[in-house]
Amino acid sequence: MDASPSGRRDVAVVLGTRPEIIKLAPLIRLLGARARVVHTGQHYDSALSGTFFANFRLPAPHLLLDGATGPWGRGAQIGALTAELARSFVADPPRAVVVQGDTNSTSAGAQAAHYCGIPVVHVEAGLRSGDRAMPEEINRLVVGVLADVHCAATERAAANLRATGTAPDRIRVTGNTVVEATLMSLPEPAERERIAREHGTREPYVPYVLATVHRPENTDAPERLEALLTSLAALGAPVVMPLHPRTRAKAKEFGLERLLDRLRVVDPVDHPTFLALADRARLLVSDSGGVQEEATVLKKPLLVVRTSTERPEAVDAGFSRLVEPGPPLVAAARALLDDGDLDERLRATASPYGDGSASRRIHALATALADGEPLPRIEAGQ
Ligand code: UD1
Ligand code: UDP
């Protein structure tokens, strides 16, 4: 394992939610003894957090905050986490701080580091949906201003950053770490089959749909959540739905729990189980960011139940398509379920998110930054 020149854990990796743990896991493993894992506590349930540390055999967080969750909203959460992180960075300054994605934890991590004078590496930089109503879009914009090194997954993300004035020599196109995370977690084919049988299908094989929903645009308005759950029950195939706690809470609040009875609802599953279920599904339906990327690695069709996406590459490559809940979702799903040539077409299409080397490239960038060395260039195929 790489140790820092001083022998300290001098690269702080700040994370707080399920997708951050998954996408930073390969980098944390590469950083080895240099990684200082700082968990904000935003996701506190084991099913959204501890499980993934176990899946990737990560060390327990070196610092665990209390998440600043509560009824006061995102301003209070980001503010409280920023303050707590800043205190810890002042007490024991890391030489670089890595943040990933677009959550409240990402924003707090980047703010705390920047205000403490510590350089920031942003993993999955440059995504833009253009929708300022999404908390994630604002978090991306904030982190984009603060970061010193922007690890863009694609050329398009790099272009978004250049268009907002980011210095080109601070941007590197690395690919998305989700590719290697997926390859690390995906079980062997026989195990995938076993998991799918256990969760999704009866004998003989019944084509099923795997669905996840957790975005506020889908969960926080009762009519929209009702339309979505109603249409999922009408797709003409069984729907397996690992239920995010946010969605469960909203379904209860709005009195929509009876609609869940028509779906095969399970608690959130671990990463290998989710990927196995996705791999054996006939179709994915989701509003998740990570699932939009994983679909391109697993070569699966995905209907994205959202009005905008910051991941247009998956749409352009033919893996995913935006749909409205209700009749458009039902019609699009039925057409895909009946499309016999689809699998072959998608199998022949490369993922736009890279080749599984993103974490290795980001490791080189983060350690160069921490060591005060020039940022390495990234050549094609490197
Ligand atoms: C957060 C991120 C979102 C990301 C998602 C990944 C922000 C603004 N949102 O959304 O970008 O896609 O994580 O899953 O940062 N809850 C639990 N147990 C937990 C965590 C949350 O029950 O361990 C419930 C609570 O009721 C909480 C609600 O889920 O109020 C929402 O949690 P929160 O972390 O605010 O947002 P997510 O919807 O999870
Ligand atoms: N995921 C999982 N178990 C589940 C649902 C999702 O392991 O029950 C994984 C999925 O494979 C993807 C990630 O969680 O890697 C996506 O997280 P989420 O949808 O919560 O957040 P987003 O990507 O939208 O920010």
Side-chain angles (χ1 to χ4, degrees):
M1 276 186 193
D2 274 2
S4 68
S6 61
R8 287 171 62 238
R9 294 193 172 277
D10 64 352
V11 180
V13 181
V14 177
L15 43 73
T17 68
R18 170 168 69 185
E20 293 162 80
I21 302 167
I22 292 170
K23 291 177 178 177
L24 288 169
L27 175 67
I28 293 170
R29 289 178 52 148
L30 286 171
L31 285 167
R34 287 192 84 159
R36 183 190 308 176
V37 179
V38 180
H39 194 317
T40 66
Q42 180 176 344
H43 280 178
Y44 44 86
D45 282 344
S46 161
L48 295 185
S49 174
T51 302
F52 298 90
F53 275 76
N55 283 160
F56 287 98
R57 298 193 305 282
L58 298 180
H62 301 102
L63 176 64
L64 173 61
L65 311 183
D66 79 354
T69 54
W72 299 281
R74 65 201 241 246
Q77 183 174 45
I78 293 172
L81 291 177
T82 302
E84 231 184 311
L85 288 167
R87 280 194 287 275
S88 104
F89 292 157
V90 168
D92 182 9
R95 296 173 69 161
V97 170
V98 180
V99 295
Q100 196 281 340
D102 52 22
T103 71
N104 292 347
S105 296
T106 317
S107 175
Q111 291 191 62
H114 179 79
Y115 304 144
C116 293
I118 300 162
V120 176
V121 180
H122 186 203
V123 176
E124 201 177 271
L127 272 61
R128 297 289 182 266
S129 68
D131 178 359
R132 285 173 56 87
M134 287 179 73
E136 291 84 357
E137 184 74 354
I138 302 302
N139 291 338
R140 289 178 202 121
L141 291 165
V142 169
V143 178
V145 169
L146 299 172
D148 297 279
V149 179
H150 305 257
C151 302
T154 64
E155 280 297 344
R156 190 191 298 233
N160 288 339
L161 289 164
R162 288 193 296 270
T164 48
T166 308
D169 64 342
R170 292 277 158 198
I171 304 169
R172 294 291 184 278
V173 178
T174 56
N176 196 308
T177 61
V178 77
V179 177
E180 50 267 29
T182 302
L183 299 175
M184 284 165 84
S185 289
L186 185 65
E188 291 301 314
E191 178 64 0
R192 287 178 228 166
E193 201 59 53
R194 190 195 64 72
I195 291 170
R197 212 166 277 140
E198 188 183 306
H199 281 84
T201 65
R202 297 192 194 90
E203 295 285 1
Y205 176 77
V206 180
Y208 66 93
V209 176
L210 180 67
T212 76
V213 175
H214 75 283
R215 295 277 169 183
E217 74 176 81
N218 287 323
T219 59
D220 290 12
E223 320 75 53
R224 174 100 176 179
L225 184 58
E226 182 171 8
L228 183 43
L229 295 176
T230 305
S231 38
L232 284 176
L235 300 187
V239 174
V240 180
M241 189 175 190
L243 198 61
H244 193 285
R246 178 189 199 101
T247 316
R248 189 181 284 285
K250 290 292 176 183
K252 187 166 179 212
E253 184 185 329
F254 302 146
L256 299 174
E257 280 170 308
R258 70 200 143 75
L259 296 177
L260 296 173
D261 294 344
R262 298 159 66 191
L263 310 171
R264 294 194 193 176
V265 170
V266 292
D267 287 334
V269 293
D270 68 15
H271 200 219
T273 303
F274 186 81
L275 294 175
L277 288 172
D279 180 67
R280 304 307 301 149
R282 183 83 183 88
L283 172 67
L284 311 178
V285 176
S286 183
D287 57 12
S288 160
V291 174
Q292 290 175 62
E293 296 150 351
E294 287 168 346
T296 72
V297 181
L298 299 174
K299 315 297 181 200
K300 288 286 158 183
L302 166 66
L303 291 173
V304 180
V305 209
R306 285 187 35 195
T307 49
S308 65
T309 182
E310 58 294 311
R311 288 161 170 97
E313 298 90 344
V315 177
D316 292 348
F319 291 101
S320 55
R321 205 176 116 190
L322 297 181
V323 285
E324 280 293 299
L329 170 58
V330 176
R334 285 177 177 241
L336 289 171
L337 289 166
D338 288 343
D339 183 344
D341 303 329
L342 189 61
D343 274 357
E344 206 175 320
R345 259 196 337 266
L346 296 184
R347 259 202 305 275
T349 308
S351 169
Y353 295 110
D355 59 1
S357 307
S359 299
R360 193 171 49 72
R361 294 174 179 138
I362 295 165
H363 173 258
L365 290 163
T367 50
L369 191 70
D371 295 340
E373 290 168 1
L375 293 180
R377 300 264 147 221
I378 295 170
E379 310 300 340
Q382 210 182 2

